Amino acid sequence: MRPTPSQKKKLYALLQEIVRLRDGPRCLKCKRTDTLQLSHIYPKGTHRLMEFLSINVKLLCQHHHIFWWHRNPIEAHEWLQTAIPVDRQKRLKLASQTYLGPFDPKLEILGLEKELEKLKT
């Protein structure tokens, strides 16, 4: 089931807040605090069920998201190995090889809200 536009907006707002609390409100690559964008590690085009998985999302400034991450995949992959914790890398790899469906937007929103509450405490 695909999320409605309002559900998608809510999911991305929750992801944004989770990632900012988890990683800090700055570009993971250059530490800039402006023009920040959510960037997927495993692309949502090929890993649709991982689109709203918080471990699959990082913050990058617009420059590093568009002009570096997407244009230099080998360099980006090598950099990522040192930029995020090993346990997160392992969970991401496992998630990419596991069937995560069916997708229920309402359950996903509840899960992200619970994750956010944990980060806030």
Side-chain angles (χ1 to χ4, degrees), residues 1 9 13 16 18 29 32 36 40-42 47 52-53 80 102 108 111 113 115-117:
M1 172 188 303
K9 184 176 180 177
Q16 179 89 248
I18 288 167
K29 176 82 169 131
R32 285 179 64 170
L36 296 176
H40 292 86
I41 296 168
Y42 281 84
H47 294 82
F52 302 108
L53 197 60
L80 192 66
E108 197 69 25
E113 287 173 340
E115 185 177 347
L116 182 57
E117 283 306 311

Side-chain angles (χ1 to χ4, degrees), residues 55-67:
I55 61 170
N56 188 40
V57 180
K58 62 197 175 310
L59 273 180
L60 292 177
C61 65
Q62 182 179 19
H63 171 77
H64 281 111
H65 182 206
I66 303 300
F67 301 109

Side-chain angles (χ1 to χ4, degrees), residues 6-82:
S6 64
Q7 288 171 326
K8 194 170 187 173
K9 184 176 180 177
K10 174 76 172 173
L11 286 161
Y12 272 108
L14 287 166
L15 274 176
Q16 179 89 248
E17 196 169 352
I18 288 167
V19 173
R20 283 176 179 265
L21 284 171
R22 181 190 67 207
D23 300 337
R26 63 192 173 280
C27 176
L28 195 58
K29 176 82 169 131
C30 71
K31 310 299 185 219
R32 285 179 64 170
T33 57
D34 60 331
T35 68
L36 296 176
Q37 301 179 340
L38 291 176
S39 172
H40 292 86
I41 296 168
Y42 281 84
K44 58 186 177 182
T46 56
H47 294 82
R48 179 58 66 191
L49 294 175
M50 292 177 67
E51 180 176 1
F52 302 108
L53 197 60
S54 67
I55 61 170
N56 188 40
V57 180
K58 62 197 175 310
L59 273 180
L60 292 177
C61 65
Q62 182 179 19
H63 171 77
H64 281 111
H65 182 206
I66 303 300
F67 301 109
W68 177 73
W69 180 259
H70 289 291
R71 293 187 182 177
N72 301 290
I74 294 171
E75 180 185 337
H77 175 75
E78 290 170 355
W79 165 81
L80 192 66
Q81 304 310 303
T82 62

Side-chain angles (χ1 to χ4, degrees), residues 77-114:
H77 175 75
E78 290 170 355
W79 165 81
L80 192 66
Q81 304 310 303
T82 62
I84 64 173
V86 174
D87 66 317
R88 181 172 163 197
Q89 293 174 41
K90 289 178 182 177
R91 289 184 301 148
L92 268 170
K93 184 169 183 148
L94 180 62
S96 75
Q97 299 168 343
T98 305
Y99 175 67
L100 301 173
F103 180 81
D104 183 335
K106 292 177 185 175
L107 283 177
E108 197 69 25
I109 288 170
L110 289 173
L112 289 175
E113 287 173 340
K114 185 175 180 180

